[in-house]
């Protein structure tokens, strides 16, 4: 289940029905100081709340003019659907105590987005360094009642601030009751830039090919995404945050890396195309069934292993550029040239 992202496929009615609330350093990075970029996050969340005391038709017109497609998507794909008019949805939001409470909580955590804007700017400077023609979207913050985290639409990337409030939020206990903890533990501010970067990479730069159906192909594709994140995120961002592991899970992978690799080989999994057999090794979850004792294994082990293969490949082949790596379509070539044989 792709919980966080992206191109909208369903409508969310959270507010309409007032539901219960629920390290690896990668070396010296290039100098990007000459790249002119100063990203700002547009505060739709604040602009929407500020319209609470205004005429509904007026505020709807103003928001639509300023935010365009994002406003339409927000109203009809995140907090409402096309069965309701914009003013009906606005009226429901403004009269919902849950919306009021969530706004206050969000403001207590995110009164100032300047530190996030600075971190986001630096990450996208690196992206522009490697991919000068990359189109930088508008970044727009919002709350949706825990429905969407980092949606991508036509010319924008949304940042659902309510999905990053952190474990100290008064809403966090209720969230844990309705969202698996292996997901909800990542609903913290330090995950914003890594998740935005990952979503942008996956959806805008390096979409997965339909023909890449083997476990190895999926391992390498995901490994390349994480290696790309290594290159564009700050060195201080830990591997655990990039992949969404706990420190304990990351340590487990490092300790049993050779055993994990042996498991793939012994069970002839690398070229397996049966998705039912593959998905357990690449999907989100609390652990990986069949590996480790007492459910202590890390989840999505195929993705983690793919990351290590790609890192080893780039170490063994220093003349290969990031662009060449990301363009390489032969996962077996990367595996062989990586000389990956953990002990």
């Amino acid at each position: 289940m792709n919980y966080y992202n992206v191109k909208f496929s369903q409508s969310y009615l959270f507010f309409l029905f007032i539901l219960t609330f629920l390290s690896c350093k990668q070396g010296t990075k290039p100098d990007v100081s000459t790249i002119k970029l100063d990203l700002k996050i547009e505060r739709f969340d604040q602009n929407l709340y500020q319209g609470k005391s205004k005429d509904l038709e007026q505020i709807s017109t103003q928001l639509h003019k300023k935010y365009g497609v994002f406003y339409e998507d927000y109203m009809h794909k995140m907090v409402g659907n096309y069965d309701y008019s914009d003013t009906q949805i606005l009226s429901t939001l403004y009269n919902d105590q849950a919306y009021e409470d969530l706004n206050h909580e969000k403001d207590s955590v995110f009164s100032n987005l300047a530190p996030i804007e600075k971190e986001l700017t630096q990450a996208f400077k690196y992206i522009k360094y490697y991919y000068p023609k990359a189109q930088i979207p508008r970044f727009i913050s919002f709350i949706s009642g825990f429905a969407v985290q980092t949606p991508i639409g036509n010319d924008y990337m949304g940042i659902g601030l309510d999905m990053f409030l952190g474990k100290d939020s008064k809403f966090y206990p209720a969230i844990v009751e309705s969202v698996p903890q292996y997901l909800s533990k990542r609903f913290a501010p330090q995950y914003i830039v890594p998740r935005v970067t990952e979503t942008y990479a996956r959806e805008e730069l390096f979409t997965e090919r339909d023909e890449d159906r083997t476990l190895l192909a999926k391992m390498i594709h995901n490994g390349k995404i994480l290696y790309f994140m290594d290159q564009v995120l700050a060195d201080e961002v830990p591997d655990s945050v990039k992949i969404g592991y706990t420190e304990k899970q990351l340590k487990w992978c490092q300790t049993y890396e050779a055993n994990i690799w042996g498991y793939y080989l012994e069970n002839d999994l690398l070229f397996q195309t049966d998705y039912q057999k593959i998905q357990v090794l690449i999907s989100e979850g609390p652990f990986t069934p069949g590996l480790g004792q007492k459910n202590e294994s890390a989840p999505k082990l195929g993705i983690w292993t793919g990351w290590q293969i790609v890192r080893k490949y780039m170490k063994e082949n220093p003349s290969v550029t990031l662009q060449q790596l990301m363009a390489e379509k032969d996962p077996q070539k990367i595996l062989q040239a990586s000389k990956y044989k953990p002990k």
Side-chain angles (χ1 to χ4, degrees), residues 44-45 70 74 78 140-144 148 151 158-162:
F44 174 81
D45 56 303
F70 173 81
Y74 179 82
M78 296 190 221
I140 303 173
S141 61
F142 65 95
I143 62 173
S144 64
V148 195
I159 301 174
L161 295 178
D162 51 334

Side-chain angles (χ1 to χ4, degrees), residues 37-280:
L37 190 65
D38 185 18
L39 296 180
K40 299 298 181 184
I41 300 171
E42 300 178 55
R43 297 301 300 262
F44 174 81
D45 56 303
Q46 293 181 344
N47 293 160
L48 176 64
Y49 187 75
Q50 289 162 359
K52 188 172 181 179
S53 60
K54 298 180 181 179
D55 176 78
L56 294 181
E57 290 285 358
Q58 179 186 13
I59 190 60
S60 181
T61 299
Q62 290 175 351
L63 290 172
H64 191 277
K65 182 178 180 180
K66 183 173 182 177
Y67 290 101
V69 174
F70 173 81
Y71 178 67
E72 296 173 6
D73 287 346
Y74 179 82
M75 297 297 282
H76 301 292
K77 296 178 180 178
M78 296 190 221
V79 301
N81 62 29
Y82 288 99
D83 292 335
Y84 300 86
S85 69
D86 291 351
T87 54
Q88 286 176 315
I89 295 171
L90 287 175
S91 177
T92 304
L93 285 176
Y94 291 150
N95 287 287
D96 187 351
Q97 187 61 44
Y99 173 72
E100 178 81 16
D101 293 344
L102 187 54
N103 260 286
H104 288 306
E105 182 72 5
K106 175 264 302 178
D107 286 341
S108 72
V109 179
F110 297 111
S111 60
N112 183 355
L113 296 183
I116 296 170
E117 290 171 335
K118 182 179 180 181
E119 188 180 349
L120 196 63
T121 294
Q122 192 67 10
F124 273 82
K125 278 188 176 185
Y126 287 121
I127 291 174
K128 291 293 283 186
Y129 174 87
Y130 291 112
Y131 293 91
K133 295 183 180 179
Q135 296 297 309
I136 307 299
R138 299 171 68 184
F139 294 95
I140 303 173
S141 61
F142 65 95
I143 62 173
S144 64
F146 312 108
V148 195
Q149 191 177 51
T150 54
I152 286 185
N154 183 14
D155 88 353
Y156 74 79
M157 277 200 70
I159 301 174
L161 295 178
D162 51 334
M163 301 286 276
F164 295 103
L165 292 175
K167 62 182 178 61
D168 294 330
S169 167
K170 68 179 182 180
F171 292 104
Y172 190 75
I175 294 171
V176 172
E177 291 182 4
S178 55
V179 178
Q181 192 169 13
Y182 61 84
L183 294 176
S184 59
K185 64 183 173 63
R186 306 174 207 166
F187 292 0
Q190 66 265 31
Y191 284 88
I192 290 180
V193 175
R195 292 289 72 79
V196 167
T197 303
E198 179 183 10
T199 300
Y200 181 82
R202 290 185 181 281
E203 299 299 325
E204 298 297 304
L205 296 179
F206 316 113
T207 55
E208 188 172 14
R209 303 186 307 163
D210 291 338
E211 56 266 41
D212 289 339
R213 297 180 179 179
T214 66
L215 175 61
L216 178 62
K218 293 184 181 299
M219 289 167 66
I220 299 301
H221 172 75
N222 284 284
K224 290 195 296 183
I225 295 292
L226 283 161
Y227 185 82
F228 177 81
M229 293 170 67
D230 286 337
Q231 308 313 305
V232 303
L233 293 175
D235 289 336
E236 293 75 20
V237 177
D239 285 356
S240 57
V241 170
K242 292 172 190 171
I243 196 171
Y245 279 174
T246 63
E247 288 294 339
K248 185 177 180 180
Q249 289 172 333
L250 184 63
K251 181 65 176 176
W252 187 91
C253 287
Q254 294 166 343
T255 300
Y256 295 103
E257 184 174 3
N259 302 76
I260 296 167
W261 183 243
Y263 177 81
Y264 303 142
L265 300 181
E266 291 167 12
N267 292 278
D268 296 321
L269 291 171
L270 291 183
F271 299 101
Q272 177 63 250
T273 58
D274 184 341
Y275 188 72
Q276 293 300 315
K277 295 180 179 180
I278 291 174
Q279 62 88 23
V280 71

Side-chain angles (χ1 to χ4, degrees), residues 318-337:
S319 64
V320 175
T321 66
L322 178 64
Q323 296 92 328
Q324 289 171 333
L325 167 70
M326 302 309 291
E328 178 56 63
K329 294 181 173 58
D330 187 348
Q332 194 166 359
K333 174 183 175 181
I334 290 176
L335 174 61
Q336 291 174 340

